Amino acid sequence: MREIFYLVKRNVKVFVRDYGAVFFSVLSMLIVLALMVVFLGSMNSENLVDMLAKYGGERDTLADKKNASYLIQMWTLSGILLVNAVTVTLTVMGNMVEDETKNRLASFYTAPVSRIKVSLGYIFSAWFIGVFMCMLTLVIGEIYMMICSHPLLLPADWLKLFLMVVLNVFVYACIAYLLALLVHSAGAWSGLLTVVGTLVGFVGAIYLPMSMLPEGVAKVLKCLPVLHGAAMMREVCTRDAIAETFAGLPDMAGDFFREQMGISVIMNGNAVSLRQQVFFLLFCGIMAAGLAFFVTRRRRVRA
């Protein structure tokens, strides 16, 4: 454990000292947050207000607009947490690719430290930084909610989100390490990061709600960990907002909204439970880590 601690410490310092990587990680997070809140958030809020109006009855339009805005912003915030869990871990894992291109990784492998410990050093460092950046995103999002006079999350919700962030970042840190084993140049890794950063928002039904995706695409996404990771955090972030927004309407209205927005994942006619999502994510993370360790033990690194 001592060797792993020093390897994690070293990798975290390498990332933090790269001011450009840290700056653009924070900047990209803020840009995505702003774009989704200002543009996609506004569009989804208007659609939600129209949906509420279709149910008929006496509605407080101003209250509906405020509740819809809060609900969509919390839905957006939970999606950004998932995006950061994926992209930040990939950015940090770039340290490993750089170590290989500069022949430092070969030195680590010849040192009196097992390759598994070296691997865990990279995974745990990406895990640590990823969790930190996601929680920083949550803090910034809550400050924005406070400025907009929206309700804040309860301490119990913060704890749930923290545990969910820890789980999701672990999964994507393992997957990022596995991908890093297959890439041998900084340029290729940068290109991969660009592609994944673009796709993750669509794979997690973040840029486009589930209702706007073709049925075949939706079925494929339900088999990927990204959607389930986003769904579990959406449930926590939007639970109270949905109850307030759909107050006075049949329960089916809220259930329909949850399904359309990817808050509830329906498979074979049944909603996937939180326990099932947790086990599925753990399975994906353990499988990625196991495969990565297998490849690492047999990998040859050019000196």
Side-chain angles (χ1 to χ4, degrees):
M1 291 299 296
R2 187 176 180 181
E3 295 90 343
I4 296 175
F5 171 78
Y6 285 115
L7 285 169
V8 171
K9 184 178 179 181
R10 177 260 176 188
N11 292 331
V12 170
K13 285 185 174 180
V14 169
F15 176 78
V16 173
R17 287 173 180 171
D18 187 349
Y19 299 119
V22 176
F23 172 77
F24 284 109
S25 294
V26 175
L27 181 62
S28 61
M29 171 189 71
L30 295 177
I31 290 176
V32 173
L33 179 62
L35 289 176
M36 293 185 71
V37 168
V38 174
F39 295 104
L40 295 179
S42 177
M43 178 184 68
N44 290 328
S45 296
E46 293 174 358
N47 292 337
L48 177 55
V49 171
D50 293 338
M51 172 184 170
L52 294 172
K54 289 180 181 178
Y55 279 95
E58 295 184 2
R59 303 290 306 180
D60 187 338
T61 304
L62 292 178
D64 282 346
K65 288 183 178 180
K66 182 177 180 180
N67 292 332
S69 175
Y70 174 54
L71 173 54
I72 295 302
Q73 287 173 6
M74 292 302 294
W75 179 85
T76 300
L77 177 60
S78 57
I80 294 173
L81 292 177
L82 190 282
V83 171
N84 282 349
V86 176
T87 57
V88 172
T89 52
L90 282 171
T91 302
V92 179
M93 200 58 68
N95 289 342
M96 176 182 166
V97 178
E98 184 177 358
D99 285 341
E100 181 178 359
T101 58
K102 294 184 178 180
N103 299 323
R104 290 193 289 256
L105 189 58
S107 300
F108 289 150
Y109 284 168
T110 56
V113 180
S114 68
R115 291 193 174 192
I116 298 300
K117 291 182 178 180
V118 174
S119 302
L120 291 175
Y122 287 114
I123 292 175
F124 287 167
S125 60
W127 191 6
F128 174 79
I129 296 175
V131 170
F132 175 80
M133 295 297 288
C134 286
M135 296 311 295
L136 177 61
T137 302
L138 182 58
V139 170
I140 294 174
E142 283 290 85
I143 292 174
Y144 176 81
M145 298 300 168
M146 184 172 60
I147 294 174
C148 295
S149 300
H150 292 315
L152 300 180
L153 293 170
L154 298 174
D157 295 329
W158 275 83
L159 178 59
K160 291 177 183 178
L161 285 173
F162 173 75
L163 295 176
M164 290 176 179
V165 165
V166 168
L167 173 60
N168 277 275
V169 175
F170 166 73
V171 172
Y172 302 120
C174 293
I175 294 175
Y177 178 73
L178 178 60
L179 292 175
L181 291 172
L182 308 177
V183 178
H184 306 287
S185 71
W189 185 255
S190 178
L192 176 64
L193 183 59
T194 301
V195 172
V196 173
T198 303
L199 291 178
V200 65
F202 295 99
V203 173
I206 296 165
Y207 299 153
L208 291 175
M210 291 290 290
S211 59
M212 299 180 66
L213 298 175
E215 184 178 352
V217 174
K219 288 182 178 179
V220 173
L221 298 188
K222 291 177 182 179
C223 299
L224 301 177
V226 177
L227 178 61
H228 293 278
M232 63 168 59
M233 289 189 281
R234 285 169 179 158
E235 180 62 38
V236 175
C237 287
T238 63
R239 183 184 60 250
D240 294 339
I242 289 177
E244 186 70 22
T245 302
F246 290 89
L249 296 178
D251 292 340
M252 62 175 296
D255 294 339
F256 176 76
F257 177 81
R258 285 187 174 92
E259 181 179 354
Q260 294 296 297
M261 298 299 288
I263 300 171
S264 297
V265 180
I266 308 298
M267 298 184 70
N268 298 322
N270 298 313
V272 180
S273 67
L274 175 60
R275 178 177 296 182
Q276 291 172 324
Q277 291 173 330
V278 169
F279 280 125
F280 177 62
L281 287 172
L282 283 174
F283 173 78
C284 292
I286 292 172
M287 286 295 295
L291 182 58
F293 293 155
F294 176 81
V295 174
T296 299
R297 292 176 66 89
R298 289 160 176 75
R299 190 178 188 228
R300 293 183 178 180
V301 179
R302 292 168 292 181

